[in-house]
Amino acid sequence: MDIRELDRRALATLGAVIARIDPDQLRLPTPCADWTLHGLLRHQVSENLGFAAAAAGVTGDLRAWDQGDLGGDPHQAYLDSADAMTRAFAEDVLERPLQIREFGLFPGRVALGMHVLDCVVHGWDVARTIGVAYDPDADLVGHSLKVAALIPTAAPSDDRPRTPFAPAVEISAGAPALERLLGLVGRRPAAS
């Protein structure tokens, strides 16, 4: 599997959901605690730009992960950031260590897997917020499920003040893969 192609498809899947947002929906709350839809989109644009900066060798500057600006067209801002992300990982960075936020150094291949997870989960967040169907490809969900299983699920602590997602919630082992993934990252897919 080419992780870069998987990431491009994850970006496109999220982009297709973002394209369905009406401007009057940007103030809606999302499944991400404390974020409106505008805040979630800004976060995703920032993450895309942050991963691109990491691939370009930026380390230790957390401001690189907070550069998202939606301007007057959130969908276009997302597309531009997705393009920057894709171009940055077109270079040979898959084996090079990259600084990912405050979470540490990861090989580019692992970092890209984390980005796929982010796109798949936030695609669900956006779809849930605006009330549209969300059905990402099975391989995107399967890959994301494997990555999410490696993420610490405990609440933040003194030695780990921030976690990438909310603490895991219990989901039936027989639930569909997307629901199990969402549970691992603190979402309650059955909640309305």
Side-chain angles (χ1 to χ4, degrees):
M1 166 187 50
D2 182 349
I3 190 67
R4 287 179 285 209
E5 178 58 27
L6 202 63
D7 189 65
R8 283 189 289 272
R9 288 179 33 236
L11 283 162
T13 300
L14 175 54
V17 177
I18 291 171
R20 299 180 69 180
I21 296 171
D22 287 331
D24 61 347
Q25 294 174 312
L26 292 173
R27 293 182 187 217
L28 293 174
T30 70
C32 294
D34 302 324
W35 275 346
T36 63
L37 187 53
H38 182 277
L40 176 58
L41 295 179
R42 185 182 178 289
H43 161 75
Q44 191 61 50
V45 168
S46 294
E47 290 292 289
N48 290 347
L49 297 174
F51 274 95
V58 173
T59 62
D61 184 359
L62 287 178
R63 292 174 299 177
W65 294 87
D66 192 31
Q67 299 298 312
D69 180 1
L70 301 183
D73 186 346
H75 184 239
Q76 189 59 53
Y78 172 78
L79 292 175
D80 292 345
S81 71
D83 182 59
M85 169 73 191
T86 300
R87 281 186 285 112
F89 278 83
E91 300 299 319
D92 189 21
V93 299
L94 295 183
E95 303 309 322
R96 189 162 36 99
L98 307 179
Q99 177 69 40
I100 304 302
R101 301 192 61 96
E102 65 274 20
F103 302 126
L105 287 172
F106 299 90
R109 180 177 309 285
V110 172
L112 212 47
M114 295 162 65
H115 187 259
V116 169
L117 167 64
D118 211 38
C119 289
V120 171
V121 170
H122 289 318
W124 180 85
D125 291 332
V126 172
R128 174 57 62 104
T129 300
I130 64 173
V132 299
Y134 182 64
D135 188 25
D137 291 341
D139 60 341
L140 293 174
V141 175
H143 181 81
S144 298
L145 193 54
K146 290 176 187 173
V147 173
L150 301 174
I151 295 173
T153 59
S157 63
D158 288 343
D159 17 319
R160 211 177 72 244
R162 185 172 184 274
T163 58
F165 293 102
V169 298
E170 191 167 335
I171 302 291
S172 165
L178 180 59
E179 289 185 19
R180 293 193 322 268
L181 167 63
L182 295 169
L184 283 175
V185 296
R187 299 332 190 249
R188 297 185 186 279
S192 52

